[in-house]
Amino acid sequence: QTIVMNHPSGVRYANEKMYALAFPEWTPETMVTRSVARIKDWLHERAEPLIVKPIDGHGGAGVFLLEPDDRNVSSILETLTNEGRKWVVVQAYLPEARQGDKRIILINGEAGGAILRVPQESDHRGNIHVGGRVEATELSERDLEICAAVGPRLKADGLYFVGLDVIGDYLTEVNVTSPTGIREFKSLTGI
């Protein structure tokens, strides 16, 4: 028998890259667009890196770190947006990502625990699927505040088993389709 943890309408509604934007006070600066020119303008205004990812991606696939002086920026953006036909999520790069991103497991709107996914030295992505190292971690006060802010909405949307991605002080994604990390949490903590 298959156990369905999250209500199908909640899963359908909760795009994992977009759902976090319902909580703008907890997310990094973010733009959702399919305009290569808008992304390039923002990148050059900031003179700091950006993260760009497909709106429907998973497992770190298609996640790029854009540097203002990288000559591949145009090609990356043309490819990701399919020449302006596909939407992407662009976020301010958070330097704390080098230390790892937390995957916080929420059960019925409450934090059950977390793991830290640390990127390899040669990569900017900490996803387990692409070789990120998993470490035990504690929940900070800020993490708990994010969980308290997001938890009631998740419950209202029928989302019982969720993985929040937090980098530094910011919520970057809300994973509802197949939130990984629970097995790693158990192997690290025994819980």
Side-chain angles (χ1 to χ4, degrees):
Q1 276 219 339
T2 301
I3 298 172
V4 177
M5 300 290 286
N6 293 327
H7 196 280
S9 65
V11 173
R12 184 181 63 234
Y13 169 76
N15 175 289
E16 297 177 328
K17 306 293 187 265
M18 300 285 292
Y19 193 92
L21 299 180
F23 309 94
E25 65 276 21
W26 304 103
T27 59
E29 289 180 87
T30 303
M31 173 192 299
V32 179
T33 186
R34 54 187 179 184
S35 169
V36 170
R38 285 189 67 205
I39 300 167
K40 288 168 74 173
D41 287 347
W42 192 30
L43 179 64
H44 295 297
E45 286 169 12
R46 296 174 47 81
E48 294 145 1
L50 293 171
I51 291 290
V52 62
K53 50 192 169 184
I55 203 167
D56 58 354
H58 64 281
V63 177
F64 287 89
L65 174 67
L66 299 181
E67 299 273 0
D69 59 351
D70 185 344
R71 294 189 318 210
N72 288 304
V73 166
S74 293
S75 181
I76 290 167
L77 295 176
E78 291 161 6
T79 301
L80 279 178
T81 66
N82 192 17
E83 301 284 342
R85 289 185 287 277
K86 287 189 171 185
W87 293 91
V88 294
V89 176
V90 187
Q91 292 179 321
Y93 175 70
L94 302 170
E96 298 89 345
R98 290 305 309 150
Q99 284 77 52
D101 72 284
K102 282 186 187 174
R103 167 58 60 88
I104 303 172
I105 303 297
L106 269 69
I107 307 291
N108 200 26
E110 302 289 327
I115 59 170
L116 190 65
R117 301 178 303 172
V118 182
Q120 296 179 36
E121 191 58 40
S122 62
D123 204 334
H124 63 273
R125 302 166 300 165
N127 304 73
I128 299 166
H129 174 75
V130 297
R133 184 178 75 249
V134 179
E135 296 179 0
T137 190
E138 298 292 324
L139 294 171
S140 70
E141 273 304 310
R142 174 74 173 192
D143 296 334
L144 293 171
E145 290 171 359
I146 292 170
C147 293
V150 176
R153 170 77 181 266
L154 293 170
K155 286 171 59 173
D157 288 343
L159 299 169
Y160 177 79
F161 175 49
V162 175
L164 302 182
D165 290 348
V166 174
I167 299 175
D169 287 337
Y170 296 100
L171 174 66
T172 59
E173 290 186 19
V174 178
N175 297 275
V176 301
T177 308
S178 182
T180 60
I182 199 162
R183 288 185 179 138
E184 291 79 7
F185 180 75
K186 182 179 180 186
S187 71
L188 288 167
T189 67
I191 298 171

